[in-house]
């Protein structure tokens, strides 16, 4: 029995990775192919794994560059506080993890708006429509120029995902994106302001 479960899990993983080009270039067909897949957790896990491995590569690369710059700058006269590629990379990837965590926490709110704007399927379909496109964006978000196109692609892929998986009309999907984005941006701004206030208070003590 455990061997059968292991083979089943491996085959599903292989099938998904075979479908990655389909997600990238034909998102409508991709979402049609996973309509019957009830395992929404796989989409979240894939986003986390993609971001985790990309973060290791980016932070490790930045660390090596920083070490090289530090060794080179030892022979130069000091010009003040040196620029740190390493901490910029760490901060950037921490921000990506924050976006991922907030996307997970926002799923109930996102699904609430999905239902308000004509969504007909359960919350699992909202998860799949959200996190499969995020996976692609996380993979390419550190590449200059490409990250911009990846962001637009993720929005388009989400649009196709909600159209297919939630059976939402075109105009309703657009309204859903606008309204939910504004509400979630306001919530994030409030959370950011509160966290900033806490940090200011703690540093002032």
């Amino acid at each position: 029995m455990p061997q059968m479960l292991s083979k089943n899990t491996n085959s599903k993983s292989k099938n998904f990775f075979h479908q990655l080009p389909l997600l990238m270039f034909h998102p409508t067909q991709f979402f049609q192919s996973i309509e019957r897949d009830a395992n929404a957790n796989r989409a979240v896990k894939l986003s986390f794994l993609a971001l985790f491995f990309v973060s290791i590569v980016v932070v490790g690369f930045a660390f090596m560059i920083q070490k090289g710059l530090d060794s080179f700058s030892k022979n130069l006269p000091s010009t003040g506080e040196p620029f740190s590629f390493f901490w910029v990379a760490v901060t950037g990837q921490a921000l990506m993890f924050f976006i991922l965590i907030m996307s997970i926490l926002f799923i109930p709110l996102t699904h609430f708006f999905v239902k308000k704007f004509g969504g007909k399927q359960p919350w699992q379909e909202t998860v799949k429509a959200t996190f499969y496109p995020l996976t692609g964006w996380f993979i390419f978000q550190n590449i200059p120029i490409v990250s911009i196109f990846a962001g637009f692609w993720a929005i388009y892929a989400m649009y196709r995902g909600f159209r297919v998986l939630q059976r939402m009309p075109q105009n309703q999907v657009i309204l859903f994106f606008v309204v939910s984005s504004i509400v979630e941006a306001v919530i994030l701004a409030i959370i950011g302001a509160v966290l900033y206030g806490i940090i200011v208070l703690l540093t002032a003590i």
Side-chain angles (χ1 to χ4, degrees), residues 7 16 49 52 76 81 114 116-117 123 135 181 188 192 199:
K7 289 180 180 179
F16 175 77
L49 289 174
F52 178 76
L76 298 176
E81 190 69 23
V114 165
K116 286 295 182 182
F117 287 97
W123 65 270
T135 301
S181 297
L188 283 175
I199 293 171

Side-chain angles (χ1 to χ4, degrees), residues 177-193:
F177 272 127
V178 172
V179 174
S180 63
S181 297
I182 292 173
V183 172
E184 290 174 7
V186 170
I187 294 173
L188 283 175
I190 294 172
I191 293 173

Side-chain angles (χ1 to χ4, degrees), residues 66 68-78 82:
Q66 193 65 50
L69 289 175
D70 290 344
S71 298
F72 177 75
S73 62
K74 286 180 181 179
N75 301 320
L76 298 176
S78 178

Side-chain angles (χ1 to χ4, degrees), residues 51 54-55 58-59 62 84-100 137-138 141-142:
L51 182 56
V54 167
S55 296
V58 170
V59 172
S84 176
F85 282 97
F86 175 72
W87 287 112
V88 169
V90 170
T91 302
Q93 295 312 117
L95 178 61
M96 292 299 106
F97 275 103
F98 176 75
I99 291 173
L100 175 59
W137 181 60
F138 286 146
Q141 45 91 13
N142 286 290

Side-chain angles (χ1 to χ4, degrees), residues 16-27:
F16 175 77
F17 285 111
H18 289 157
Q19 288 180 310
L20 273 177
L22 191 64
L23 171 62
M24 300 297 294
F25 300 107
H26 302 285

Side-chain angles (χ1 to χ4, degrees), residues 19-191:
Q19 288 180 310
L20 273 177
L22 191 64
L23 171 62
M24 300 297 294
F25 300 107
H26 302 285
T28 299
Q29 294 178 31
F30 171 80
F31 286 114
Q32 288 171 344
S33 72
I34 63 167
E35 279 189 271
R36 296 181 180 179
D37 182 8
N39 188 359
N41 291 335
R42 187 181 302 129
V44 180
K45 290 177 182 177
L46 188 68
S47 290
F48 175 81
L49 289 174
L51 182 56
F52 178 76
F53 286 115
V54 167
S55 296
I56 290 176
V57 172
V58 170
V59 172
F61 185 66
F63 179 78
M64 289 188 294
I65 291 178
Q66 193 65 50
K67 281 292 184 182
L69 289 175
D70 290 344
S71 298
F72 177 75
S73 62
K74 286 180 181 179
N75 301 320
L76 298 176
S78 178
T79 57
E81 190 69 23
F83 180 79
S84 176
F85 282 97
F86 175 72
W87 287 112
V88 169
V90 170
T91 302
Q93 295 312 117
L95 178 61
M96 292 299 106
F97 275 103
F98 176 75
I99 291 173
L100 175 59
I101 292 170
M102 293 309 299
S103 297
I104 295 171
L105 296 178
F106 276 150
I107 281 297
L109 180 62
T110 301
H111 188 62
F112 169 79
F113 284 117
V114 165
K115 302 299 283 186
K116 286 295 182 182
F117 287 97
K120 299 177 177 61
Q121 301 302 317
W123 65 270
Q124 288 89 343
E125 305 306 307
T126 297
V127 172
K128 292 190 291 183
T130 301
F131 285 92
Y132 280 123
L134 275 180
T135 301
W137 181 60
F138 286 146
I139 292 173
F140 296 105
Q141 45 91 13
N142 286 290
I143 304 175
I145 307 301
V146 175
S147 62
I148 299 174
F149 292 101
F152 285 116
W153 169 85
I155 294 172
Y156 173 73
M158 284 185 190
Y159 166 80
R160 301 311 309 180
F162 284 109
R163 288 271 286 145
V164 172
L165 298 178
Q166 285 292 353
R167 310 283 198 276
M168 296 173 71
Q170 179 177 339
N171 61 329
Q172 294 295 88
V173 177
I174 295 172
L175 285 173
F176 154 73
F177 272 127
V178 172
V179 174
S180 63
S181 297
I182 292 173
V183 172
E184 290 174 7
V186 170
I187 294 173
L188 283 175
I190 294 172
I191 293 173

